């Protein structure tokens, strides 16, 4: 597609985008915009990005970006990721139920990624810092978003009084993003989902010595699951069995007014899992106190929009991406992947307009339409999986053990979001009457 040149005959200067938040949504958007010759200023509140967190998953729909779009990243990443190609399910007392293999989908759709959030994030962040047209500013706390239609700009203000402006602003700050107020026109708050997750990540040395747990790590990477009434427990041996990660999702009525992650208490987990498989109990007891966290799951009602309406109500220049727009339950196994798709598709839409600032709002509207339905359809799968496990009908499961398997949907996983954006841009534009 060609773009009208300025009257002086010079090519348009590259578009400028400000991104707030250096999580996977913000980093992906930064890298993809940079790849398409769009200048990015990436603002992150944290003064230092420490390698925090535990296990995180990426489906084939986002793994393709690590492999194909960012040279050298996959070579660094592959040695660190979880290599198990199956998960073994048990009931809460330890009775074996079924094994789900992922080998066929890996052959047909490509590999998926499970690994340590901090390790994967660190590789991506260092790669972003090396890109010429990505300017990273850590320790920058954004407190306000604004738009200036007369100047054709959007911008943010920091707690130190700094002002940054660009053609587009992307809020990638998570569920409490201040950008939500500008986009929605009101301030909403995250709500408790009624569930929480205990999460742990620690060296597996002691597990190897314990006859009850050594089978989880002695042969390299592994993946196990235990399903109980309104509780499920997943354990993964990683780094060739040298590391253990486990997560336990359970009912919770905790308050989330100020924070939603707290240090976990082993005694509380042991009490919660009383009567469970001794393997599970030993995994909990072996957890170092400083490696256990209690993470309250929050949700937002589906938003009416991801892009600001602008001064005239016809579309603005500020967009919400990732958890700021659509937080996912862990049981969807798609939160990080959909955040990455947001960034990839947005970069493709801005690439289509080839620097024509008169069409920036058009590109954002097309992006929103492309992403909106898919994101919300994928979100529903997290609720479905949680209900499938937490409300399990064991009489039916023993008759059909595979009913416990994770649903692995082709329309979600075997999907190229970037190619789809380029293929559908013009038809979506017509659909919107633009």
């Amino acid at each position: 597609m060609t773009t009208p040149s300025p009257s002086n005959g010079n090519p348009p200067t590259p578009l400028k985008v400000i991104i707030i938040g250096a999580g996977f949504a913000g980093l992906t958007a930064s890298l993809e915009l940079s790849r398409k010759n769009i200048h990015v200023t990436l603002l992150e509140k944290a003064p230092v990005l420490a390698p925090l967190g535990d296990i995180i998953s990426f489906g084939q729909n986002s793994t393709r970006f690590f492999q194909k779009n960012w040279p050298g990243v996959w070579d660094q990443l592959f040695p660190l990721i979880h290599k198990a190609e199956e998960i073994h399910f048990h009931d809460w007392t330890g009775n074996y139920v079924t094994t789900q293999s992922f080998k066929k989908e890996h052959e047909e759709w490509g590999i998926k990624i499970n690994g340590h959030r901090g390790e994967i994030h660190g590789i991506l962040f260092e790669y972003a810092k090396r890109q010429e047209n990505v300017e990273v500013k850590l320790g920058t706390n954004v407190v306000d978003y604004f738009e200036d239609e007369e100047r054709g700009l959007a911008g943010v203000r920091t707690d130190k009084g700094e002002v940054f402006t660009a053609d587009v602003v992307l809020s990638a700050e998570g569920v409490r993003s201040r950008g939500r107020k500008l986009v929605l026109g009101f301030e909403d708050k995250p709500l408790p989902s009624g569930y929480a997750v205990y999460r742990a990540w620690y060296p597996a040395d002691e597990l190897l010595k314990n006859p009850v747990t050594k089978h989880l790590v002695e042969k390299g990477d592994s993946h196990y699951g235990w399903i109980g009434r309104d509780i499920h427990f997943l354990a993964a041996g990683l780094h060739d069995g040298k590391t253990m990660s486990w997560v336990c999702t359970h009912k919770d009525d905790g308050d989330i007014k100020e924070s939603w992650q707290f240090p976990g208490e082993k005694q509380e987990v042991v009490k919660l899992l009383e009567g469970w498989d001794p393997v599970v109990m030993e995994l909990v007891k072996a957890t170092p106190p400083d490696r256990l966290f209690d993470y309250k799951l929050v949700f937002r009602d589906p938003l009416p929009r991801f892009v600001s309406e602008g001064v005239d109500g016809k579309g603005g220049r500020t967009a919400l991406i990732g958890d700021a727009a659509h937080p996912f339950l862990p049981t969807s196994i798609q939160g990080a992947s959909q955040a990455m798709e947001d960034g990839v598709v947005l970069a493709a839409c801005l690439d289509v307009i080839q620097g024509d600032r008169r069409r920036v709002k058009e590109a954002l509207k097309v992006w929103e339409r492309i992403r909106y339905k898919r994101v919300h359809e994928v979100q529903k799968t997290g609720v479905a999986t949680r209900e499938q496990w937490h409300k399990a009908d064991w009489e039916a499961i023993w008759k059909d053990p595979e009913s416990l398997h994770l649903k692995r949907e082709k329309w979600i996983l075997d999907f190229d979001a970037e190619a789809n954006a380029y293929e559908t841009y013009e038809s979506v534009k017509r659909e919107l009457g633009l």
Side-chain angles (χ1 to χ4, degrees), residues 283-331:
L283 284 172
V284 174
K285 291 174 184 177
T287 305
D290 62 343
R291 296 297 185 94
L292 176 61
F293 295 92
D294 184 9
Y295 187 86
K296 311 299 183 184
L297 299 179
V298 300
F299 77 97
R300 300 274 194 175
D301 291 326
L303 302 185
R305 67 188 72 87
F306 296 161
V307 177
S308 59
E309 293 189 295
V311 177
D312 57 3
K314 296 180 179 180
R317 298 172 179 273
T318 304
L320 306 173
I321 63 174
D323 282 353
H326 43 71
F328 275 70
L329 292 174
T331 41

Side-chain angles (χ1 to χ4, degrees), residues 206-243:
E206 295 304 313
L207 301 178
L208 189 60
K209 300 174 188 176
N210 187 333
V212 177
T213 57
K214 69 177 184 178
H215 68 283
L216 301 176
V217 294
E218 65 181 346
K219 295 181 181 178
D221 290 2
S222 66
H223 208 178
Y224 288 78
W226 292 261
I227 310 299
R229 183 66 181 176
D230 255 333
I231 301 173
H232 74 265
F233 190 104
L234 302 176
L238 302 98
H239 297 157
D240 197 27
K242 293 180 177 62
T243 304

Side-chain angles (χ1 to χ4, degrees), residues 251-385:
K251 292 282 286 183
D252 182 86
D253 57 3
D255 189 10
I256 56 160
K257 286 182 180 177
E258 297 301 328
S259 176
W260 59 88
Q261 178 169 301
F262 308 85
E265 296 291 338
K266 275 204 285 188
Q267 295 85 348
E268 292 181 5
V269 185
V270 169
K271 183 179 178 181
L272 175 72
L273 298 174
E274 186 177 355
W276 276 55
D277 185 353
V279 176
V280 170
M281 302 305 287
E282 290 299 313
L283 284 172
V284 174
K285 291 174 184 177
T287 305
D290 62 343
R291 296 297 185 94
L292 176 61
F293 295 92
D294 184 9
Y295 187 86
K296 311 299 183 184
L297 299 179
V298 300
F299 77 97
R300 300 274 194 175
D301 291 326
L303 302 185
R305 67 188 72 87
F306 296 161
V307 177
S308 59
E309 293 189 295
V311 177
D312 57 3
K314 296 180 179 180
R317 298 172 179 273
T318 304
L320 306 173
I321 63 174
D323 282 353
H326 43 71
F328 275 70
L329 292 174
T331 41
S332 71
I333 326 178
Q334 273 289 306
S337 292
Q338 292 304 312
M340 293 180 73
E341 281 193 11
D342 282 349
V344 169
V345 174
L346 195 141
C349 289
L350 287 176
D351 185 43
V352 168
I353 66 172
Q354 289 291 295
D356 188 346
R357 286 173 166 78
R358 294 168 298 180
R359 298 179 61 194
V360 164
K361 294 194 287 185
E362 168 203 305
L364 291 181
K365 278 180 169 290
V366 171
W367 168 81
E368 180 183 51
R369 176 63 64 91
I370 290 173
R371 294 296 298 145
Y372 194 85
K373 182 179 179 180
R374 175 170 168 82
V375 161
H376 288 118
E377 288 299 316
V378 177
Q379 271 184 313
K380 293 175 186 176
T381 65
V383 177
T385 298

Side-chain angles (χ1 to χ4, degrees), residues 92-142:
W92 66 99
T93 64
N95 293 311
Y96 171 76
V97 182
T98 181
T99 293
Q100 180 175 4
S101 172
F102 303 109
K103 187 174 182 180
K104 185 177 179 182
E105 72 174 58
H106 288 171
E107 291 171 351
E108 294 181 355
W109 304 338
I111 195 171
K112 59 182 173 58
I113 292 175
N114 292 324
H116 190 279
R117 183 193 188 280
E119 291 177 344
I120 298 170
H121 183 270
I123 290 170
L124 214 54
F125 180 63
E126 290 302 318
Y127 183 76
K129 287 180 2 184
R130 295 195 296 271
Q131 307 312 301
E132 282 188 14
N133 48 354
V134 176
E135 181 183 9
V136 178
K137 292 182 175 290
L138 298 178
T140 305
N141 182 20
V142 169

